[in-house]
Amino acid sequence: MKETTITDKKMLKIYKKIGRNVKDVRTEKGVSQLALAIAIGHKAVGTISMAEICLNNKHFNIEHLYKIAEVLEVDVCELLK
């Protein structure tokens, strides 16, 4: 087994890319941040809005991504590419 080469800086780029992917799919489907937040069990848009742009290092976790994929009717891989 080898050690990872993924730095914090690279991980931040990955989180930002995932956030852009979520935003792209969400807007393509015509779903607002509030509607998505409520659909995945949140009461406000904060989680969605902050994670889409990785503000203050807030990002989607695996539970968020699977719930978002289900609600938006896409394969979770679409959010991770």
Side-chain angles (χ1 to χ4, degrees):
M1 178 169 64
K2 71 175 196 167
E3 290 188 30
T4 184
T5 59
I6 300 174
T7 63
D8 289 345
K9 186 177 180 178
K10 186 172 182 179
M11 200 67 235
L12 182 60
K13 288 175 102 173
I14 293 168
Y15 288 144
K16 286 182 178 183
K17 177 63 175 155
I18 291 169
R20 280 192 306 271
N21 291 345
V22 169
K23 181 179 181 178
D24 289 347
V25 172
R26 177 183 61 74
T27 56
E28 284 173 15
K29 301 274 184 170
V31 177
S32 70
Q33 288 179 335
L34 179 59
L36 181 58
I38 291 169
I40 67 167
H42 292 266
K43 294 181 176 160
V45 300
T47 298
I48 304 299
S49 63
M50 292 175 72
E52 282 186 351
I53 60 173
C54 203
L55 183 65
N56 297 328
N57 202 31
K58 300 290 184 195
H59 52 81
F60 295 111
N61 64 34
I62 196 71
E63 180 181 354
H64 294 144
L65 293 173
Y66 270 88
K67 286 180 176 182
I68 290 167
E70 179 184 35
V71 168
L72 297 178
E73 301 180 69
V74 297
D75 190 294
V76 72
C77 294
E78 289 296 308
L79 306 176
L80 298 172
K81 65 180 182 178

